[in-house]
Amino acid sequence: MTRSRSSPKTPRIFTSIETGAMEPEAINQLFQRAGMPARDLDKLSTALQNSLFCVTARILSTRELVGFLRADGDGVFNVTLWDFVVDPQLANRDETKELLIDRLQREVQRSFSRCSVSILGQPKDLPILRCANFNADQKGIRAMALRQNSLGYRLRRLRRLNFGN
């Protein structure tokens, strides 16, 4: 457990690694407070169950979830970080983000020390991620995604099924 320093105005925050049962509803509420779209609870539950681990930040006095970061990957070569979010109403949100990253780095070093770690971060989080030794790819490589509803995908599929001849 990691605790933050706090002033009289800010709540004390603690972080923890969670590998067991998580509360998809509480995570979804945190996403929505942060302006992210709601997730399907069944899919979110499946993602949580198949994650390597999750890092959470909670208010010490109430145990309210105020920060979340999820890690998945093969556990041998790659760890990918998803859903890096902190409640925007939290007075010490930057410190909480730093606590989440710090806790994550200690867990990765302890459990997956030979893995490369990547994160898809929001532009507003780049200064914090840079301070935590995350670097943008020097060659400017960007993540790519297969969109199965794209025209090119559908045409290739039709050709494969011999409907496009």
Side-chain angles (χ1 to χ4, degrees):
M1 180 186 312
T2 302
R3 289 192 171 92
S4 72
R5 293 179 290 264
S6 65
S7 69
K9 297 180 214 172
T10 59
R12 291 183 59 89
I13 303 293
F14 72 95
T15 60
S16 63
I17 299 295
E18 302 199 27
T19 56
M22 296 278 304
E23 308 145 349
E25 298 86 8
I27 296 167
N28 222 5
Q29 289 171 2
L30 176 61
F31 290 160
Q32 290 175 309
R33 286 194 310 267
M36 298 167 67
R39 311 271 176 91
D40 178 276
L41 291 177
D42 290 332
K43 290 180 181 180
L44 181 56
S45 181
T46 299
L48 294 170
Q49 290 169 7
N50 292 299
S51 295
L52 295 172
F53 61 89
C54 298
V55 183
T56 59
R58 295 179 184 272
I59 295 175
L60 186 59
S61 61
T62 64
R63 307 219 23 106
E64 177 188 359
L65 181 68
V66 293
F68 181 77
L69 178 60
R70 183 173 64 87
D72 76 359
D74 58 19
V76 178
F77 298 111
N78 301 296
V79 172
T80 303
L81 308 176
W82 304 95
D83 304 323
F84 181 39
V85 63
V86 170
D87 190 330
Q89 261 90 79
L90 196 63
N92 54 342
R93 67 184 159 276
D94 286 344
E95 181 182 334
T96 302
K97 287 179 182 181
E98 290 169 5
L99 287 170
L100 283 168
I101 292 291
D102 178 63
R103 185 59 182 248
L104 161 91
Q105 287 177 325
R106 286 187 284 128
E107 182 64 17
V108 167
Q109 184 62 37
R110 184 181 72 77
S111 302
F112 309 102
S113 61
R114 297 187 180 235
C115 288
S116 67
V117 179
S118 61
I119 186 169
L120 300 172
Q122 300 284 332
K124 64 184 176 199
D125 294 331
L126 291 179
I128 290 171
L129 294 171
R130 281 190 191 105
C131 287
N133 292 325
F134 282 91
N135 295 309
D137 189 296
Q138 296 300 316
K139 295 181 182 179
I141 296 172
R142 299 290 183 248
M144 299 177 76
L146 173 64
R147 290 194 171 81
Q148 296 184 357
N149 292 328
S150 70
L151 179 60
Y153 180 85
R154 289 190 308 239
L155 288 174
R156 283 189 298 282
R157 187 164 182 207
L158 286 173
R159 284 189 200 116
R160 226 181 349 203
L161 298 172
N162 292 324
F163 292 124
N165 292 338

